[in-house]
Amino acid sequence: EMQLVESGGALVQPGGSLRLSCAASGFTFSRYDMHWVRQVTGKGLEWVAAIGTLADTFYPVSVKGRFTISRENAKNSLYLQMNSLRAGDTAVYYCARGITTGWGHTAFDIWGQGTMVTVSS
Amino acid sequence: QSVLTQPPSVSAAPGQKVTISCSGSSSNIGNNYVSWYHHLPGTAPKLLIYDNDKRPSGIPDRFSGSKSGTSATLGITGLQTGDEADYYCGTWDSSLRAVVFGGGTQLTVL
């Protein structure tokens, strides 16, 4: 069974840092683009970061310079390093697999169950 | 403010058909492929449509997608109470070099 399992969510103070992990299984991890998507309670889905099979990375303006996505193919793992956290970063964070290659075709066919990040003093 | 525009809510009776629109621009929908997602808060989103009109394995043909110019549409026929959820469109934006989502549409099956 193809599966993604996130971990690392926690309560952190504003200005703090946190590292999320996502463990992949059931498919050849290295062959797929991977993403992080978040949802603030009561609001819509927001894409947070992407990393391609060649480790090229992309971010929205809202997190660029604060968040870093990385992958470790040998461990079938995806990471999101989050620094300078703000209250507005409080959300459920999902890791997701890109269904195919080519950024113009981006779609997410496998999602994790999500991990909660709360930024509060 | 989302880059892609969806109606906040739609509703229809069981058994009926509903469409959800997603409007963008030439930098996103106009030159890239659209996907659609079903989401119940607290659960993992589910891919319904990718590449504008393709259904992943396991998605019934009650769900359909189309694209014309800078707009896309999700259609759901034979509505069931279990279809009540939030629906999102998404695509790549070539100018932003980012994935963009619509604000989401809440479907109510009356």
Side-chain angles (χ1 to χ4, degrees):
Chain A
E1 180 192 3
M2 296 178 288
Q3 195 174 10
L4 297 171
V5 179
E6 303 94 338
S7 60
L11 170 64
V12 60
Q13 292 191 338
S17 298
L18 201 61
R19 189 196 199 203
L20 304 183
S21 299
C22 173
S25 59
F27 63 95
T28 305
F29 179 74
S30 61
R31 293 184 181 174
Y32 292 88
D33 301 334
M34 297 296 298
H35 302 255
W36 289 95
V37 177
R38 69 186 180 185
Q39 184 180 35
V40 174
T41 301
K43 297 201 171 181
L45 299 177
E46 180 187 11
W47 172 76
V48 172
I51 186 165
T53 56
L54 300 178
D56 42 335
T57 59
F58 300 93
Y59 306 91
V61 170
S62 58
V63 309
K64 197 167 188 176
R66 300 188 300 124
F67 289 12
T68 302
I69 188 173
S70 62
R71 65 192 301 162
E72 192 167 356
N73 290 336
K75 293 188 175 181
N76 293 326
S77 293
L78 178 72
Y79 306 102
L80 184 67
Q81 177 67 42
M82 303 185 292
N83 299 329
S84 302
L85 282 162
R86 308 165 179 167
D89 296 317
T90 295
V92 175
Y93 285 73
Y94 299 96
C95 67
R97 187 182 85 164
I99 192 171
T100 186
T101 56
W103 297 110
H105 290 267
T106 295
F108 311 122
D109 64 337
I110 301 173
W111 296 71
Q113 83 288 351
T115 188
M116 183 71 203
V117 172
T118 303
V119 183
S120 175
S121 54
Chain B
Q1 196 80 345
S2 302
V3 173
L4 305 180
T5 301
Q6 296 181 235
S9 62
V10 296
S11 62
Q16 296 301 302
K17 175 181 177 177
V18 71
T19 60
I20 298 173
S21 61
C22 176
S23 178
S25 67
S26 59
S27 66
N28 43 67
I29 292 178
N31 284 284
N32 293 294
Y33 293 84
V34 178
S35 54
W36 289 92
Y37 304 87
H38 165 286
H39 187 218
L40 287 168
T43 69
K46 180 169 67 176
L47 178 66
L48 297 174
I49 298 289
Y50 68 101
D51 280 359
N52 302 331
D53 57 10
K54 296 183 174 64
R55 279 178 289 107
S57 173
I59 301 300
D61 59 7
R62 299 191 299 111
F63 296 89
S64 63
S66 64
K67 188 184 100 167
S68 178
T70 59
S71 293
T73 301
L74 173 70
I76 311 173
T77 60
L79 277 171
Q80 303 170 2
T81 55
D83 292 330
E84 288 198 333
D86 298 321
Y87 291 82
Y88 294 88
C89 58
T91 188
W92 179 256
D93 190 297
S94 302
S95 295
L96 297 174
R97 294 181 70 73
V99 175
V100 291
F101 285 108
T105 299
Q106 184 176 48
L107 170 63
T108 301
V109 181
L110 302 168

